[in-house]
Amino acid sequence: MTVCKGESKIGRIIEVRLEGLTLRVADVRRSIEFYSNKLGFTLEIDKAPQFAMIRVGGPTGGTIGLLVHDGSDPFGSNSTTPHQRAGIHVELTTDHLDSLYEQLKGRGVEFVEPPHEEPWERSMRVRDPDGYTIEFAEGRRGHRGVT
């Protein structure tokens, strides 16, 4: 059996797409302020203080769910440390990284890392109010070539 890039030895799986992800947050309204007003994403569902859904990349883009911490949930994320949350990356792309940087800086977004070169991509990072890392890369991820 010849295995092509992206195909495993057990065969192909029916195509799936990543539609979105959900983050546990301390304050849904504070997160709405950050994701919609600072980053400029679209608030699609507002059920604060329990939940909100942010649309990234226009009407066909994916979503970021914002779900309030539930202290009564034994599996809730209140137990995560700031270090653990910082290790969670929401990875986004743009074709205009430097222009986006200037636009977001003008909205008062503080950057952990301004635009910089990595061997595999050009990127920049911010942290949301709960400490999650939001990373913006230029171009389509994984298509610049890894060195």
Side-chain angles (χ1 to χ4, degrees), residues 112-126:
V112 176
E113 293 178 337
H116 64 283
E117 294 291 334
E118 298 282 355
W120 53 90
E121 69 188 3
R122 182 167 168 70
S123 65
M124 62 186 182
R125 292 178 184 85
V126 302

Side-chain angles (χ1 to χ4, degrees), residues 10-120:
I10 60 171
R12 292 181 181 238
I13 189 167
I14 295 171
E15 183 180 318
V16 297
R17 293 171 297 282
L18 177 63
E19 184 67 24
L21 59 93
T22 298
L23 302 172
R24 289 285 194 142
V25 298
D27 183 331
V28 171
R29 291 198 193 287
R30 179 182 72 177
S31 293
I32 289 171
E33 166 67 23
F34 176 78
Y35 284 97
S36 64
N37 295 343
K38 292 266 187 175
L39 297 186
F41 302 148
T42 303
L43 176 61
E44 192 156 293
I45 297 172
D46 184 351
K47 298 292 182 183
Q50 285 80 27
F51 178 76
M53 183 181 289
I54 303 292
R55 177 81 49 194
V56 180
T60 61
T63 62
I64 299 174
L66 305 169
L67 182 62
V68 73
H69 288 297
D70 183 354
S72 65
D73 179 355
F75 300 106
S77 62
N78 267 341
S79 62
T80 60
T81 66
H83 185 70
Q84 289 168 323
R85 285 190 300 274
I88 295 173
H89 282 69
V90 176
E91 299 173 352
L92 307 170
T93 61
T94 180
D95 291 330
H96 309 284
L97 191 70
D98 293 309
S99 296
L100 180 62
Y101 172 72
E102 292 301 326
Q103 184 181 43
L104 296 180
K105 212 168 81 167
R107 291 181 176 178
V109 174
E110 296 180 25
F111 288 81
V112 176
E113 293 178 337
H116 64 283
E117 294 291 334
E118 298 282 355
W120 53 90

